[in-house]
């Protein structure tokens, strides 16, 4: 049955995370960005509300929620600061790989310790973004960028399987283009011992589908924010004797940005619903990611454009949204790989 | 939240598909080849009646009358999309009350329903009705129509011209939008039932169109066209009152525009139907010509599939909001412009996929490419949809 409404539980989750993001993150986004970290007390509060274990099964002390809840939460957090969202969600999309391949056992062995120690972070890297060699159960290689300043657990996902590494990694801080509140580093692995590994192409695809949707939903939030912020600005800023939004050239642009955000949202929800129904969702989540990235090319720069010179200045958040959206679109394998998967229906 | 179509509705879609494939597609292709609308006595129209079509949603005097689609907007949009997949032009060519039905159900008197919808309850032959807004001097600026209605005793006298009006020359009656009080601007607008054969209604010219050839788009004139006073939509006993004194008539302009708001998801859905046909044809063509491995071909098809899904969900959402009785102005306009433009993109890129085969003029995709363009023009152009959204989103002044 066609139904676009949210049930009460999900509405409550959305309200809660929205208030949290607006009250605890929004006032400090520029501070978090320049410090490349989120305040400890904000992290603690996030964990207290169990938002750091949203999808972790209840038997492991998590909230056991599904993909729809995840994308709703990510949209809200992405709308405030996607970098902070990554910093706070310390398992991040690495969770999906552990869950897909190792189930409860891997989650309690690898995910729980991350959550139990303050500040620890798990990172997911895609083999396609990096160069790795594996010899005698040890892996070496380099990842040019991860949106993190720590990597207490490195989960490497390939097309056919996954590996987990705990020791033997080193990080070089980077300036980072966007998502700076999460930190930015290059990652090196030198003969890092592989502590778990699995082979299963289908599971790899499932994990990647969820990871992409994770990224797409953060991106959705960023796009919403840029579009809404610039819309409000345009209603208050005047030029030639009227609000700039009342010049049709801008009004139509704003309307089209609004529409682009909605198209991303619908595809993100579509994929999340499929996954929660137990369907594969590879194609749908890849499509949602592609749509989000394409929309970001349109919305990111135009959000800045609507503010004119002010948009270019860091006093306003639209330049940040332009950078964040670009960075998110490069993450989790980027758009080209996603497009390959989104065209799987042609096989 | 749930985007799945129910089992029962799936069954109805299957039936619509079967009818579409066997009857609708061939009839539409025939009209396109002939470059002319299907004639009134075409066998297809008889079959359509026998199939149960061509009837009014009105339940007859005493029956409950619904102003919306009785089964809900979501359902009608889903079935409409399926029919359009087989031929959009035929969905308009089909006998029945068509476009004016919503406004007549919402605004007419019981007597008018009996008189004008009655013959569509169990039609003895294919019957059509028609809705005339657009004028040669402009269709978007709906407040500025030039057709005038003048009171003369127990009659109204209409003068003006209308253009591109669906099914006008074959309609039993045409609901004509005219201004009864030009000083009042759009508030002076009223809708009038003008019956076929009324002296002064004439000059019918069936336009030659780029696409959607299956139905007639007709221009005509009203020259001192005298109609009974009770042919004013919504006007019964109070016909002698001045129009602005009647509650119903004060809504004349609004109720017309309200009808167009309500029909928007349907128009959007028909764009989706056309685009889905273009996608399926593209996939068949790519398979048959061993193009599936080419990355540019795959990229195009991926884009079709993705955009089509987003557009479809947008349209479904606007329909769902209507069924829930929630405001959907932004969503309905958004769905219409997005679907129409995406559908045009898809048909255009599908032509590129065909290469020179597309230039032959005999491939279905080539027809879809011509057909689909109208969807971003009819019932409010893409620009007008953006204006409507702009009013809601940024307070764009009129
Ligand atoms: C196949 C077909 C079937 C049709 N069937 C019917 C029918 O059954 N009944 C009926 O009444 N009409 C019908 N029409 C007419 C249709 O509704 C009009 O063509 C449409 O509303 C546009 O009006 P117009 O052609 O006069 O264009 P105009 O109003 O002259 O517009 C010309 C251009 O200017 C743009 N424009 C206008 N105003 C603005 C603005 N404020 N801001 C920005 N841009 C603007 C328009 O978007 C358009 O691009 C049909 C048309 C077609 C093609």
């Amino acid at each position: 049955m066609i139904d676009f409404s949210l049930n009460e539980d999900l509405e409550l989750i959305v309200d809660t995370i929205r208030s949290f993001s607006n009250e605890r993150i929004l006032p400090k986004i520029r501070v978090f960005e320049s410090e490349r970290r989120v305040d400890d007390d904000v992290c603690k509060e996030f964990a207290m509300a169990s938002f750091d274990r949203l999808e972790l099964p209840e038997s492991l002390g998590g909230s056991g929620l599904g993909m729809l809840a995840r994308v709703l939460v990510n949209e809200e957090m992405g709308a405030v600061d996607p970098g902070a969202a990554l910093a706070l969600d310390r398992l991040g999309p690495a969770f999906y790989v552990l869950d897909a391949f190792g189930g409860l056992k891997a989650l309690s062995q690898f995910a729980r310790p991350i959550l139990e120690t303050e500040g620890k972070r798990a990172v997911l890297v895609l083999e396609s973004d990096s160069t790795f060699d594996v010899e005698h159960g040890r892996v070496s290689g380099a990842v040019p960028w991860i949106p993190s300043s720590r990597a207490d657990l490195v989960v490497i996902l390939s097309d056919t399987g996954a590996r987990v590494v705990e020791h033997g990694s080193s990080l070089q801080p980077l300036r980072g283009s966007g998502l700076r509140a999460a930190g930015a580093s290059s990652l090196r692995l030198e003969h890092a011992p592989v502590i778990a590994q699995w082979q299963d192409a289908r599971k790899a695809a499932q994990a990647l589908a969820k990871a992409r949707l994770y990224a797409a939903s953060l991106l959705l939030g960023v796009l919403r924010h840029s579009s809404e912020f610039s819309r409000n600005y345009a209603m208050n800023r005047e030029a030639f004797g009227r609000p700039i939004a009342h010049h049709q050239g801008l009004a139509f642009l704003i309307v089209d940005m609004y529409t682009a955000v909605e198209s991303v949202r619908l595809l993100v929800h579509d994929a999340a619903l499929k996954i929660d129904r137990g369907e594969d969702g590879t194609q749908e989540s890849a499509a949602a990611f592609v749509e989000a990235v394409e929309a970001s090319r349109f919305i990111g720069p135009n959000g800045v454009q609507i503010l004119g010179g002010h948009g270019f200045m860091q006093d306003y958040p639209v330049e940040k949204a332009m950078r964040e959206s670009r960075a998110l679109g490069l993450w989790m394998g980027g758009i080209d790989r996603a497009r390959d998967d989104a065209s799987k229906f042609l096989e | 939240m749930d985007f799945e179509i129910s089992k029962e509705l799936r069954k109805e879609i299957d039936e619509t598909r079967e009818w579409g494939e066997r009857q609708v597609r061939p009839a539409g292709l025939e009209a396109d080849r002939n470059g002319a609308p299907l004639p009134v006595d075409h066998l297809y129209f008889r079959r359509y009646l026998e199939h149960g079509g061509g009837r009014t949603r009105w339940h007859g005097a005493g029956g409950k009358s619904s102003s919306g689609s009785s089964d809900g907007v979501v359902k009608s949009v889903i079935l409409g999309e399926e029919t359009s997949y087989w031929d959009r032009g035929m969905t308009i060519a089909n006998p029945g009350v068509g476009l004016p039905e919503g406004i007549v159900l919402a605004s007419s008197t019981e007597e008018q329903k009996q008189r004008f919808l009655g013959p569509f309850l169990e039609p003895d032959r294919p019957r059509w009705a028609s809705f005339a807004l657009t004028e040669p001097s402009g269709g978007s600026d709906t407040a500025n129509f030039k057709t005038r209605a003048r009171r003369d005793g127990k009659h109204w006298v209409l003068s003006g011209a209308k253009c591109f009006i669906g099914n006008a020359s074959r309609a039993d009656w045409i609901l004509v939008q005219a201004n009864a009080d030009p000083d009042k601007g759009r508030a002076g607008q009223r809708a009038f039932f003008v019956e076929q054969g009324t002296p002064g209604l004439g000059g019918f010219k069936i336009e030659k169109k780029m696409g959607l050839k299956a139905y007639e788009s007709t221009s005509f004139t009203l020259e001192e066209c005298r109609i009974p006073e009770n042919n004013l939509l919504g006007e019964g006993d109070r016909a002698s009152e001045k129009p602005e004194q009647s509650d119903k008539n004060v809504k004349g302009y609004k109720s017309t525009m309200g009808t167009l708001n309500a029909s928007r998801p349907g128009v959007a859905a028909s764009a989706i139907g056309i685009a889905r046909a273009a996608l399926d044809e593209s996939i068949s063509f790519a398979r048959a010509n061993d193009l599936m491995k080419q990355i540019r071909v795959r990229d195009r098809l991926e884009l079709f599939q993705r955009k089509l899904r987003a557009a479809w969900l947008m349209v479904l959402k606007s329909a769902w909001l209507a069924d829930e009785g929630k405001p959907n102005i932004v969503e309905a306009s958004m769905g219409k412009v997005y679907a129409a433009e995406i559908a045009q993109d898809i048909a255009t890129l599908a032509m590129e996929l065909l290469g020179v085969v597309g230039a032959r003029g005999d491939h279905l995709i080539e027809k879809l490419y011509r057909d689909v363009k109208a969807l971003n023009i009819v019932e409010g152009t893409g620009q007008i949809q953006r204006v409507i959204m702009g009013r809601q989103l940024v307070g764009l002044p009129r």
Side-chain angles (χ1 to χ4, degrees), chain A residues 129-143:
Chain A
D129 290 336
S130 339
T131 41
F132 287 118
D133 287 318
V134 188
E135 245 181 338
H136 312 302
R138 285 168 181 269
V139 56
S140 301
V143 187

Side-chain angles (χ1 to χ4, degrees), chain A residues 231 246 256 270 291 347, chain B residues 298 306 309 386 393-394:
Chain A
R231 172 160 79 103
H246 293 182
D256 287 347
D270 192 32
E291 185 71 11
E347 255 106 70
Chain B
R298 293 175 72 86
R306 167 166 46 89
R309 181 70 182 159
R386 289 182 171 93
L393 294 177
V394 297

